[in-house]
Amino acid sequence: QVQLVESGGGLVQPGGSLRLSCAASGSVFGIDVMHWYRQAPGKPRELVASISIGGRTNYTDSVKGRFTISRNNAKKTGYLQMNSLKPEDTAVYYCNAVVLDFSNWADYWGQGTQVTVSS
């Protein structure tokens, strides 16, 4: 059984920073691409950032220059460093990854972590 567990969310003032973590546990034999999504109230889920197993990254335009996605393959953990946060970044942030579980690659989601940017 594979689990992705996010942490690091919270309440921060505009201009502040947070670092989200996504730790994979269980029968994890490999992790391919990792993504961070977010969903604000009343809005569809949005892809925020992606990182390949080789470290290639992609970002949605609204976070370019402010957010940095990274990963530690040995620790089976992904990260999202969020700087210069804005109220419009407020959302539940979800980790998503393609994981090798014994002999099958499958898509897994974390439970989400709330990020609130407010003064």
Side-chain angles (χ1 to χ4, degrees):
Q1 188 76 8
V2 172
Q3 284 189 317
L4 299 181
V5 179
E6 300 103 334
S7 60
L11 173 64
V12 64
Q13 291 186 342
S17 298
L18 284 174
R19 189 192 195 206
L20 305 183
S21 298
C22 171
S25 63
S27 304
V28 179
F29 290 83
I31 302 175
D32 194 354
V33 63
M34 300 183 77
H35 306 287
W36 285 96
Y37 285 80
R38 65 186 178 187
Q39 188 165 21
K43 294 187 177 181
R45 192 168 293 190
E46 172 190 29
L47 177 61
V48 175
S50 303
I51 185 167
S52 71
I53 190 171
R56 180 181 296 179
T57 59
N58 282 291
Y59 300 91
T60 191
D61 286 346
S62 62
V63 308
K64 285 180 180 178
R66 300 188 298 122
F67 289 12
T68 302
I69 189 172
S70 62
R71 61 191 288 168
N72 183 320
N73 293 327
K75 293 185 177 181
K76 302 174 185 177
T77 301
Y79 306 96
L80 186 67
Q81 177 67 44
M82 306 186 294
N83 299 327
S84 302
L85 282 161
K86 304 175 181 180
E88 51 263 43
D89 295 317
T90 295
V92 178
Y93 283 71
Y94 297 91
C95 174
N96 169 248
V98 177
V99 178
L100 179 60
D101 176 357
F102 290 109
S103 60
N104 298 308
W105 289 96
D107 194 63
Y108 290 90
W109 290 85
Q111 82 288 353
T113 184
Q114 177 70 46
V115 171
T116 302
V117 184
S118 175
S119 54

